[in-house]
Amino acid sequence: MNINRREFLPLAGAGLLAGVAGFEGGKASPKNRRGGSSAVTVVKAKSYSDDLAQQMLRGIRECGLDVRGQKVLLKPNLVEFDPATCINTEVSVVAAALEVFQSLGAAEVVIGEGPGHRRDTYALAEMARYRSEIPKFDSRFVDLNRDDVSSVQGFADRGEIYLPNSALRADLIVSLAKMKTHHWAGATLSMKNFFGLVPGCVYGWPKNELHQVGIDRSIVELSRIFRRSFAIVDGIVGMEGNGPIQGTPKPVGVLVMGRDLPAVDATCCRIMGIDPGRVQYLQMASDNLGITEEARIQQRGESLREVRTNFDLIAPFRQYRLA
Amino acid sequence: MSDLYLDVRLDALRRTQNPDGGWGYFPGKQSWLEPTAYAALALHGEPAADRAWTLVKSWQSPDGSWKPSAEVQIANWGTALCVTIASVRGEFDDSFRKGVDWLLGSDGNESNMLARAFAKVGLIHPERNLSLTGWPWKPNSASWVEPTAHSLIALKQASAKVSNDRLRERVRVGEAQLLDVRSDDGGWNYGSRAALGVNLPSYPETTGLALLGLQGRTDITESLEVAGRMLRANPSPLAKAWLTIALRLHGVDAPELSNEWTPDIMITAVEALSCGNYKFFKTGGQA
């Protein structure tokens, strides 16, 4: 067994162990099992210079999303910057989403992120070209690490969690995630992207509280709190290997969209050649937060067979490979 | 240039103080401890700083810790900043002593007995020395570079008034912990030198902060050179400010800063400190 620092931290607290024992957010009980099916749309986009807005519009319409009059928060995955790889949601994807949600009649569209590692969020946004390529970026952007906050009752075994008002007041949060492997969770997609909604000014840099609670459990809890959401996963160029920071670029050429985040993430896993049934947070979310079974996902757009490309997995996750 | 650079920032701080005496991270937002503490240090000696201190003192909990804002009921690493302000203001009262005591009892939970036992039998490979403890952002979490650096500054300054074996030991171990997590390139990442056996690169802002915590050490020459290179590479405004403060307090020349002012209160205050009251972070060596 090879556990590193972040993995053993949850094991180190007796109180947390007790909390895990009482957790009811895992597999759905019969009374809260979610029926029906969910639509997920996969559209091809060979490069970031494609007409991404057009492709997004297609996906959003396929999923039947209506944002007229709503306050929309676009939540990209902006973590760190390394010119040698592709850590963040590409700026052209964020710019396209801004254009699309404005065109669909949203009352307000803002961009918000709370990077987990770097304290100077605007400098990070500049390195990722967000400030130079997204019109009026500074006036549209909220640093969620340093926003005003409110308490939300009930987060795992914690009595409460403080969350940014800009996220709590949004009618819809659009998770503009990056398709990446993750060296502790297996894959980081639209649900894991919600870690950036947790304010550093309360929990620090990194947001160690989420690792204390448990990464998988925190992913599920945040997805439970922010149910009014939509996912657009940037899989045009993803990251394989030692993600989410130190992996290598993996061209896939897709955008994956849907209103059911577990369904979107399960679909992304299948595209990446990862068995979603092995990804713990998807197991925990399955049925009570969304649908992950392939047979119950209404696959629209490109077929999975057409776009699947196996991502390189580091040793602890090689057994996650989809047959 | 330096006078203008400083004046622009001090004026901005004076203009953006909230009616309650604090500052938000951005103009017009709720007051938070961190930007208020840096602004109070930058404006030390002015009535604005006194109003800020009155507000911040009201946020101290009975256990000696400070919470990060009026709304958030969680003890916070900013307690170190408040102890530093108290030292700067020469207010060595009961509030100060309780703050110091809270810091002495605050440590990262990665070094608890269970974790050390797991490491001893090889169940975990923590990539750091678990016998060395730093400070966390909040209780019941792991220690990281930034809160550790600020706690070392606060305790070293406090040692002039509260010198005891416990304080000296926490400073000794805290410094050793910072050195233990130093990245292979000579600077500091935010808390670890490696993840899953892969070395992590250092960041300029955390490198500057770690060097502040390690004032008085003679075994950090390479890291000071790294900090100088980082500063010449034109990092973020926040990183420039912390690196400048660190280099100056280590007696190393740092060029005058000249970047444009941006309406970010915390960065504005740290920038003002970098060319004004940076001496308030000055400490000697081990307590």
Side-chain angles (χ1 to χ4, degrees):
Chain A
M1 187 156 95
N2 186 0
I3 307 172
N4 85 353
R5 182 182 186 214
R6 290 189 188 179
E7 290 167 313
F8 83 72
L9 288 174
L11 299 174
L16 179 57
L17 290 172
V20 168
F23 179 47
E24 294 177 353
K27 294 297 288 183
S29 62
K31 69 178 180 187
N32 63 7
R33 184 179 166 85
R34 179 175 166 154
S37 61
S38 288
V40 173
T41 303
V42 180
V43 298
K44 278 189 178 173
K46 287 184 74 173
S47 85
Y48 290 108
S49 54
D50 281 11
D51 187 347
L52 301 182
Q54 198 58 40
Q55 294 294 68
M56 272 182 207
L57 269 174
R58 182 183 150 206
I60 290 167
R61 286 185 179 131
E62 291 269 11
C63 296
L65 182 68
D66 181 0
V67 298
R68 284 174 296 178
Q70 295 198 341
K71 292 180 186 169
V72 175
L73 174 71
L74 304 179
K75 164 63 181 72
N77 189 225
L78 179 64
V79 187
E80 292 193 25
F81 182 74
D82 178 351
T85 187
C86 55
I87 298 168
N88 306 307
T89 307
E90 182 67 20
V91 61
S92 55
V93 173
V94 184
L98 176 65
E99 178 189 334
V100 164
F101 282 93
Q102 285 175 327
S103 74
L104 288 172
E108 175 186 288
V109 186
V110 298
I111 303 165
E113 170 64 310
H117 301 163
R118 306 304 295 269
R119 294 227 42 188
D120 195 335
T121 306
Y122 284 87
L124 181 60
E126 187 156 325
M127 286 189 279
R129 307 195 320 279
Y130 283 25
R131 291 182 85 178
S132 57
E133 297 190 19
I134 295 174
K136 300 178 183 172
F137 177 82
D138 282 5
S139 63
R140 298 186 194 285
F141 183 74
V142 182
D143 180 354
L144 299 177
N145 275 331
R146 299 185 297 158
D147 195 17
D148 293 345
V149 302
S150 296
S151 169
V152 172
Q153 296 303 305
F155 179 79
D157 61 333
R158 300 334 197 221
E160 63 183 351
I161 185 171
Y162 292 93
L163 292 167
N165 289 343
S166 297
L168 293 171
R169 290 172 184 162
D171 297 314
L172 182 77
I173 297 181
V174 180
S175 181
L176 290 173
K178 189 79 171 172
M179 187 181 285
K180 294 188 288 188
T181 51
H182 191 283
H183 57 194
W184 286 302
T188 172
L189 299 156
S190 70
M191 294 170 69
K192 171 70 172 64
N193 188 33
F194 281 174
F195 271 30
L197 298 175
V198 175
C201 58
V202 178
Y203 299 103
W205 288 258
K207 298 157 189 183
N208 188 229
E209 180 82 350
L210 303 177
H211 294 259
Q212 300 284 328
V213 167
I215 293 175
D216 297 297
R217 192 173 174 197
S218 292
I219 293 170
V220 172
E221 289 288 271
L222 288 168
S223 299
R224 179 182 59 75
I225 291 169
F226 293 105
R227 295 296 292 272
R228 292 176 300 189
S229 52
F230 187 80
I232 300 176
V233 180
D234 169 10
I236 297 173
V237 179
M239 176 184 279
E240 65 179 357
N242 188 23
I245 306 293
Q246 295 177 301
T248 53
K250 176 73 169 177
V252 186
V254 295
L255 293 170
V256 185
M257 290 169 263
R259 302 171 77 156
D260 178 336
L261 271 56
V264 169
D265 287 2
T267 300
C268 288
C269 283
R270 293 184 177 101
I271 292 170
M272 299 162 79
I274 295 171
D275 180 356
R278 305 294 296 271
V279 176
Q280 195 179 348
Y281 66 84
L282 287 176
Q283 292 176 31
M284 293 162 76
S286 185
D287 283 339
N288 55 13
L289 287 181
I291 287 166
T292 59
E293 294 164 51
E294 190 170 4
R296 295 172 61 204
I297 294 174
Q298 296 171 38
Q299 183 66 44
R300 296 173 182 175
E302 307 299 327
S303 74
L304 293 187
R305 194 176 59 245
E306 189 79 11
V307 297
R308 175 175 167 179
T309 175
N310 286 353
F311 277 45
D312 184 31
L313 305 175
I314 59 173
F317 296 105
R318 291 207 180 113
Q319 74 273 22
Y320 284 32
R321 176 67 73 213
L322 192 63
Chain B
M1 177 60 85
S2 181
D3 285 350
L4 178 61
Y5 181 94
L6 178 59
D7 289 346
V8 164
R9 282 151 182 80
L10 293 180
D11 284 346
L13 293 176
R14 292 180 192 114
R15 280 197 319 270
T16 54
Q17 188 171 25
N18 287 335
D20 65 5
W23 280 266
Y25 281 101
F26 300 95
K29 306 293 277 187
Q30 292 171 356
S31 295
W32 285 84
L33 188 151
E34 185 181 29
T36 300
Y38 292 138
L41 288 170
L43 294 169
H44 178 69
E46 298 190 15
D50 296 336
R51 288 199 302 276
W53 183 232
T54 299
L55 173 73
V56 165
K57 284 195 83 168
S58 75
W59 291 348
Q60 189 175 27
S61 301
D63 67 0
S65 68
W66 264 267
K67 56 185 189 175
S69 74
E71 289 73 23
V72 178
Q73 308 301 319
I74 298 176
N76 182 268
W77 67 280
T79 300
L81 298 178
C82 295
V83 169
T84 296
I85 294 175
S87 291
V88 166
R89 295 176 64 92
E91 294 184 16
F92 304 109
D93 54 9
D94 191 47
S95 161
F96 165 80
R97 281 188 293 276
K98 288 172 80 172
V100 170
D101 282 346
W102 188 85
L103 283 178
L104 291 176
S106 166
D107 54 21
N109 69 356
E110 77 277 20
S111 298
N112 68 24
M113 282 178 58
L114 185 60
R116 290 207 301 267
F118 279 11
K120 196 166 185 176
V121 298
L123 277 173
I124 58 172
H125 303 280
E127 299 174 304
R128 48 165 297 189
N129 183 346
L130 292 185
S131 69
L132 303 174
T133 304
W135 281 265
W137 294 100
K138 60 176 282 300
N140 303 314
S141 54
S143 51
W144 302 93
V145 166
E146 186 163 347
T148 296
H150 280 296
S151 296
L152 285 171
I153 293 166
L155 290 179
K156 286 181 182 179
Q157 291 187 347
S159 68
K161 296 291 177 185
V162 189
S163 188
N164 58 45
D165 289 346
R166 190 177 177 211
L167 186 150
R168 280 188 287 275
E169 181 64 4
R170 284 304 310 264
V171 169
R172 184 190 70 77
V173 173
E175 286 189 345
Q177 196 265 356
L178 276 184
L179 291 169
D180 182 60
V181 299
R182 181 165 48 175
S183 295
D184 272 10
D185 62 16
W188 280 264
N189 196 271
Y190 50 81
S192 299
R193 60 170 180 249
L196 288 177
V198 179
N199 286 337
L200 294 171
S202 54
Y203 297 149
E205 59 272 27
T206 37
T207 296
L209 284 159
L211 288 170
L212 282 177
L214 293 171
Q215 289 175 71
R217 304 274 319 188
T218 57
D219 52 355
I220 52 174
T221 306
E222 180 200 352
S223 296
L224 289 168
E225 289 168 0
V226 168
R229 286 198 296 274
M230 286 173 162
L231 188 55
R232 288 191 292 277
N234 196 29
S236 73
L238 182 65
K240 276 182 197 165
W242 282 125
L243 286 166
T244 298
I245 293 170
L247 289 171
R248 288 179 174 166
L249 288 177
H250 279 277
V252 179
D253 279 342
E256 301 292 345
L257 296 177
S258 59
N259 48 291
E260 293 288 312
W261 172 75
T262 55
D264 181 316
I265 301 293
M266 184 188 82
I267 293 176
T268 296
V270 179
E271 286 179 335
L273 285 164
S274 75
C275 56
N277 290 338
Y278 61 86
K279 63 180 182 294
F280 291 151
F281 295 115
K282 185 171 180 58
T283 72
Q286 287 199 33

